[in-house]
Amino acid sequence: MFEIVDIRQKPDMLQTAVHYFWKQWGSESSYHFYRDCIERSVETESDVPRFYVLLDGDRIVGGYALLRSDLNSRQDLFPWFACLHVDPEYRGKNLGGQLQNHALNEVKTKGYNKLYLCTDLTDYYEKNNWAYIGKGYLLDDEETRIYEISIK
């Protein structure tokens, strides 16, 4: 049985979650960035940032984040869906879709009517009703694809 939880609900898993997100998305030089961001997300009263984990029992097998910025040039857009990951052995079960739907419900509860993401993927997010709205640029000047979804 899978469960999606805000890491704030599982403070005993905080460091495991930090390592999980960093391992998927970070680099050797970015551990402190991920640690600080996730630890502060637990402490803040603000509605974002938030980090969510997908649990299979006590094991983190996926997750995502809601962020103020996904470190790209489109600072006019907010909030961002980021860090989506499902462990390879759990793929093919629509868990990525479930995490996206969970994010949409969370964003709706927080009062937002749109959610954004940036990615280099094509044909994945379109299957889940995300609309490509243009390109942006990452910190290293690489182009990224920007998507938007309206919250109903």
Side-chain angles (χ1 to χ4, degrees):
M1 176 89 181
F2 297 105
E3 180 183 19
I4 301 170
V5 297
D6 183 333
I7 195 60
R8 295 162 64 106
Q9 297 171 277
K10 297 275 189 179
D12 55 314
M13 295 187 84
L14 177 62
Q15 294 309 315
T16 303
V18 167
H19 185 76
Y20 183 84
F21 282 100
W22 170 71
K23 186 174 105 181
Q24 307 315 319
W25 299 108
S27 65
E28 189 175 310
S29 63
S30 66
Y31 179 80
H32 294 294
F33 174 87
Y34 280 88
R35 181 191 47 77
D36 194 44
C37 186
I38 296 170
E39 286 177 354
R40 297 212 186 264
S41 79
V42 170
E43 299 168 358
T44 186
E45 293 301 317
S46 178
D47 56 359
V48 288
R50 290 286 183 267
F51 287 81
Y52 301 85
V53 292
L54 173 66
L55 299 174
D56 182 3
D58 289 334
R59 179 179 171 212
I60 298 174
V61 298
Y64 76 91
L66 295 175
L67 304 174
R68 287 188 191 287
S69 167
D70 200 10
L71 301 178
N72 66 63
S73 61
R74 293 302 308 271
Q75 297 298 297
D76 55 313
L77 305 176
F78 165 82
W80 289 88
F81 177 76
C83 301
L84 176 64
H85 187 265
V86 174
D87 287 353
E89 64 268 28
Y90 286 85
R91 293 180 186 165
K93 301 176 184 188
N94 193 37
L95 296 173
Q98 290 178 40
L99 288 165
Q100 290 172 63
N101 288 333
H102 186 272
L104 293 175
N105 289 329
E106 288 293 303
V107 169
K108 183 177 182 179
T109 300
K110 295 173 188 322
Y112 299 102
N113 59 10
K114 291 188 178 186
L115 185 60
Y116 302 91
L117 68 83
C118 68
T119 185
D120 59 357
L121 296 178
T122 55
D123 301 326
Y124 176 72
Y125 289 103
E126 292 89 343
K127 295 177 196 172
N128 291 301
N129 301 314
W130 292 84
Y132 173 73
I133 60 169
K135 64 183 177 181
Y137 297 91
L138 301 173
L139 292 173
D140 61 5
D141 266 354
E142 289 289 318
E143 280 188 11
T144 187
R145 298 173 58 82
I146 306 293
Y147 287 82
E148 167 186 276
I149 192 165
S150 294
I151 313 299
K152 299 173 185 170

